[in-house]
Structure formats: structure tokens, C-alpha cells
Amino acid sequence: MKPVKLIKVNAIKNGTVIDHIPAGKVLKVVDLVNLTGENSVMIGMNLTSAKLGRKDIIKIENRVLSADEVNVIAMLAPEASLIIIKDFAVVSKQQLTIPREIDGLIVCPNPKCITNIEGIKSRFTLSSEDKKIVRCAYCEKKYEIDDVEMIV
Amino acid sequence: MKNLISMRDLSKDEILHLMDIAGEIEKGNIVPDMQRKLAALLFFEPSTRTMFSFDTAMKRMNGNTVIMSGTKNTSAQKGESFADTLLTIAQYADIIIMRSPIEGSSRYAAEVVDIPVVNAGDGANQHPTQALLDLYSIVKTQGTLENLTIGLAGDLRFGRTVHSLAQAMALFGAKFKFFSPSFLQMPSYIKDDLAEKNIQFEECPELDGNLDDLDILYVTRVQRERFADPEEYEKARGSYILRKSMLDGVKDNLRVMHPLPRVDEIHTDVDVTQYAYYFQQAKNGVYTRQAIISILMGEV
């Protein structure tokens, strides 16, 4: 008898799948990416994964994410992959990478930074990809991505 | 170079070019002419010494200055945005030289206006003209910036001057000795930067007996307000006061530098030695700032 492959999260016809989100991070992703509206969203948590051991996944029907949304997800979960689905088939799959220049997506944690005092758009550069460290282009302070507040 | 905002923006070649120009200005081989040029000195926090140095630099080149010091009675106090203040001043002046407690304010100013901006200190972040005048003083006294042994003493934790200097000298393969009370040690992010560049550094418990191999000893003030316990302050500062007697056996070329103002971290008995260099250092600040302004205004 053919082994039955159980799909724990339903397949979608068209839309975006964010796969290989490290387990436990999906709610943070959901929090930052605007998922309200007409589209169906499926979330899988703590699924078994050959690559990560355990993983989270999001499937969003009939929606392609904006570049900013993809960049935010890349910062939260650079291990994740972004899959675009058309007619139940994978049309593209890309490994996320943290952008070198991060415009307007991070709140600088430094209260003395001009971006907080004058309310101007923040700008960060990726200082270390391995250590996930970014540097504010204005006050020049360095922060770990996991410690900063993000905005979309 | 259109603006001078951060030492991190400068390449080694740009630093060396600036040192050359400052040297030529000091020797009188280059005489920049700033006649009919106006520098706006915007000092949103007071700093008499830095302001005077820039004012002197501009006037030594026959230029003029308009000065705003503090924020009292200014439009900023009336609620005008920082961008509007800058855009208005840029209509009057040819260059903006600004100091502010707000970190990143000079970078932002340079994005807002289309005249050159010089950062004369932005909070705890950068003070590139101080770093450059320090480098000029070092090259002038040592003949080179390469492979020197530099001692940094005092408040290494909060002192932006020593941070900029350490980072700048790292470009030239310096070796460092750090002298500071334990809780005012060089922050780990600077030490990590140095380690990444394979720069050698060691932390020394006290000045006395550790000065023999130094080419430069850069002393900064240990501020009383950093200490919760006044007794701790009295105990700590004693180990970091430089006295003439500690200079027996140091290298002839050693020069003692200090960004000033000094309180008592360098005893006045050092002033008469051949090693004292802090007042000449302040004078070098004028040549360095003349060079910076001239380069940014396209005059040299």
C-alpha cells in the first residue's frame, strides 16, 4: 500500500507560503505582517522539519507580500523561505536574506537618536549577517536584530 | 568630501590628505581665502572651546561667522522643526558647523541642506574634528601615524574622544594600552572592533610603571559624577593622575595629550616637561579645522 502523506496545513491554490520559520517565531511574523482582510491565512506551529527539527509555517491565499513585508520577515527569520504558489504549483522559491540597507522598518532603540526626537524615517545597515547586527545610520549605535522593535 | 559627519566615513587616504593640508596651512604654504564666506556655528549645546576653535579657524582665513549658542530664544524653542531651522540658516551661510546633544543630528542636517555640514559633536556619538586634530598632533610629533604605541587613560567607557581615536588609529596599525578604573573600561564594542582588525591592546591597572613603551599618552578626565560612591572616586582617581615622577624612563618621543579642559588628571608639574603637548594640541585644532573647512568649501 502506498504510504499516505498527510498534509497538516492545507495546500493553497494561489498565494504565498513562508516556510521554515524557526519554531516559535510565527506569531511575531503574523504580528508584523498585515494579514487582516479577505484572504485566508493558515498558520502551522511546531511542525516537524528535516531542516530545522521543528518549524512554523504561514500560508496566505491570494496575496503577494510587499518588499517591506518580505524584508521584515527576513530580519525576524532569515532561515525562512518564501514560496509563491500559482494553481497549486510552486512558481518560485527563495531563501530570505537580510537586506543590506533597512529603510524605515526598525525603531532605533536609542532615545537620543534624531530619528526618535524628530520623528524621521530610520535607516539601518546590516553590520554583521552572521551575528544579525544592524547599525543605525544616524546615531551609529549597533543592535542585535532580535532586540529591536520593527514597523511595517 | 562634501560633509564631515563621522570618522567612519573617512578613508585612510582622506585622513592623510587632510593632515597634509593642515600641515601646509600651518607652515603658511597654503593660505586659504574665505573672504565673503560665512560659517554658521550652531551650538545647540554649549562648548566654548570647540566653538572658539572653529570661530578662530574661520577668522584666520578672513572668513566670517554667525553664532547660535544654546536653544534659548531660538525658533527651536518656539516649536520650529529642526529641518526648517536648518533650511533657513542654509539660505544665509556657506557652511554649517553644528554641535547638538541629539545623536545623528549632523547626518540628518547634511541630508536636509545642500551646503557642507561639519559635525562638531553629536551627543555621545561622534566628534570627528577632535579626532582629526588628535591625529594631526600625533603625526606632527611622531612623524608618522603608522605602528605607534598609544596609551589611553581616564574615562574610556563614556569618552567619545578616546573611542574615535582608537578607531582611527586602528587604521594605522597602532598598539594600545588602556588605563581606567574597572567600571570605566573601554566598551566591548570598541574592543571587538579592534580585535576584528587584529589590533593589539592590553588593559593596565595603573599608569605608574606602564609608560615606558608609549609614543603617545592620551589622558582624559574621570568625572566625579560617574561614581556613586565619593570614596571610590577618590581611590580610583589617584591611580590615574599623571605626575612628572612617573615619566622617568619614558621614550624621548613620548607626548602627553589631553582634549582639555583638564581638572587634575595631569598634575601641573608635567606641564614643564618636554612631554606635555596638550596646549599645542589645542592650537593644532585651529589648523585642522582650517583644513577641514577649506576642503569642504573647495578652496584647496
Side-chain angles (χ1 to χ4, degrees):
Chain A
M1 201 173 104
K2 227 173 134 182
V4 179
K5 192 177 176 193
L6 287 175
I7 301 172
K8 289 181 180 164
V9 182
N10 284 346
I12 55 172
K13 187 177 178 194
N14 295 303
T16 306
V17 175
I18 306 155
D19 198 0
H20 300 114
I21 302 170
K25 281 197 172 169
V26 74
L27 292 180
K28 219 171 171 186
V29 174
V30 170
D31 209 29
L32 283 165
V33 180
N34 182 13
L35 295 178
T36 54
E38 299 293 304
N39 311 318
S40 303
V41 178
M42 281 156 278
I43 295 170
M45 293 173 73
N46 220 26
L47 309 176
T48 51
S49 156
K51 193 170 152 190
L52 298 175
R54 293 276 169 188
K55 70 171 183 181
D56 293 347
I57 189 168
I58 305 178
K59 297 187 177 190
I60 311 157
E61 207 152 42
N62 299 322
R63 163 110 189 262
V64 175
L65 298 179
S66 70
D68 275 356
E69 287 171 321
V70 173
N71 286 339
V72 164
I73 297 167
M75 283 188 279
L76 281 175
E79 309 84 347
S81 30
L82 184 79
I83 302 158
I84 305 296
I85 308 281
K86 268 190 189 154
D87 279 329
F88 295 106
V90 173
V91 293
S92 77
K93 184 173 182 174
Q94 75 177 90
Q95 175 71 47
L96 294 182
T97 48
I98 304 174
R100 319 286 324 165
E101 299 276 337
I102 306 157
D103 281 357
L105 297 179
I106 294 175
V107 179
C108 182
N110 176 7
K112 289 183 181 162
C113 178
I114 183 88
T115 57
N116 292 315
I117 290 173
E118 288 291 315
I120 59 170
K121 194 165 126 181
S122 74
R123 198 169 76 240
F124 279 76
T125 52
L126 183 62
S127 178
S128 160
E129 195 164 2
D130 300 345
K131 295 178 189 162
K132 290 173 73 179
I133 290 173
V134 288
R135 185 195 291 274
C136 175
Y138 292 96
C139 72
E140 305 189 14
K141 298 256 181 313
K142 283 178 173 181
Y143 297 99
E144 284 183 34
I145 288 180
D146 292 338
D147 294 340
V148 297
E149 188 190 332
M150 284 179 222
I151 29 172
V152 177
Chain B
M1 199 161 79
K2 188 180 176 298
N3 305 290
L4 177 63
I5 307 299
S6 166
M7 285 305 288
R8 291 166 26 78
D9 300 337
L10 296 182
S11 67
K12 202 169 158 175
D13 283 349
E14 283 173 316
I15 292 173
L16 291 171
H17 174 62
L18 211 144
M19 303 289 102
D20 284 346
I21 300 291
E24 294 303 310
I25 290 173
E26 181 175 359
K27 287 180 208 137
N29 296 337
I30 293 179
V31 185
D33 184 13
M34 293 288 157
Q35 220 172 15
R36 290 192 293 275
K37 299 284 186 201
L38 184 68
L41 306 186
L42 309 183
F43 278 62
F44 296 100
E45 73 177 358
S47 168
T48 319
R49 200 175 299 267
T50 305
M51 196 174 75
F52 271 24
S53 179
F54 272 111
D55 199 23
T56 306
M58 198 62 191
K59 286 173 178 161
R60 291 263 183 212
M61 300 188 288
N62 297 319
N64 271 307
T65 55
V66 283
I67 296 176
M68 189 182 88
S69 185
T71 52
K72 268 191 186 165
N73 306 318
T74 62
S75 42
Q77 220 189 18
K78 295 174 192 157
E80 186 185 45
S81 77
F82 184 47
D84 281 8
T85 304
L86 293 165
L87 284 166
T88 309
I89 288 161
Q91 309 306 312
Y92 311 148
D94 301 296
I95 184 168
I96 288 177
I97 295 160
M98 61 175 279
R99 165 171 292 214
S100 164
I102 303 170
E103 292 164 20
S105 49
S106 297
R107 174 88 59 201
Y108 177 60
E111 290 172 359
V112 170
V113 300
D114 54 10
I115 60 172
V117 174
V118 177
N119 182 4
D122 61 333
N125 184 31
Q126 285 271 334
H127 190 3
T129 64
Q130 177 72 47
L132 289 166
L133 81 87
D134 292 342
L135 293 181
Y136 181 59
S137 300
I138 294 173
V139 78
K140 211 172 124 179
T141 58
Q142 307 297 322
T144 178
L145 290 173
E146 301 284 348
N147 305 317
L148 298 170
T149 303
I150 314 267
L152 300 175
D155 179 354
L156 306 186
R157 183 173 168 194
F158 298 103
R160 115 195 113 179
T161 308
V162 285
H163 299 168
S164 301
L165 186 60
Q167 285 171 324
M169 285 308 294
L171 291 173
F172 299 93
K175 239 166 71 182
F176 292 101
K177 279 181 155 183
F178 299 147
F179 306 92
S180 68
S182 58
F183 71 98
L184 292 177
Q185 280 182 355
M186 191 61 93
S188 52
Y189 71 91
I190 302 275
K191 289 194 274 192
D192 290 349
D193 275 358
L194 296 178
E196 263 174 41
K197 292 176 183 135
N198 292 320
I199 298 295
Q200 285 181 46
F201 59 86
E202 62 174 306
E203 279 167 326
C204 303
E206 56 181 11
L207 290 168
D208 206 7
N210 284 306
L211 307 178
D212 292 3
D213 55 344
L214 296 182
D215 300 303
I216 293 288
L217 174 60
Y218 198 102
V219 184
T220 61
R221 193 154 47 103
V222 173
Q223 296 178 51
R224 188 187 292 266
E225 52 271 31
R226 303 277 186 222
F227 290 77
D229 180 355
E231 241 178 77
E232 280 296 307
Y233 168 73
E234 291 303 329
K235 216 161 62 183
R237 75 181 188 132
S239 311
Y240 304 98
I241 293 177
L242 181 70
R243 295 169 197 282
K244 188 180 172 188
S245 57
M246 296 176 183
L247 295 168
D248 288 342
V250 297
K251 287 164 79 172
D252 270 356
N253 63 307
L254 172 78
R255 290 296 174 271
V256 177
M257 293 170 58
H258 191 299
L260 303 177
R262 150 179 74 167
V263 182
D264 57 3
E265 55 280 358
I266 300 176
H267 195 279
T268 48
D269 68 4
V270 177
D271 296 3
V272 294
T273 68
Q274 67 180 89
Y275 310 109
Y277 196 70
Y278 16 98
F279 296 112
Q280 293 98 314
Q281 184 187 348
K283 187 174 183 181
N284 291 338
V286 176
Y287 302 125
T288 311
R289 289 177 172 123
Q290 281 181 278
I292 291 164
I293 294 168
S294 305
I295 290 171
L296 294 178
M297 306 271 276
E299 292 292 322
V300 291

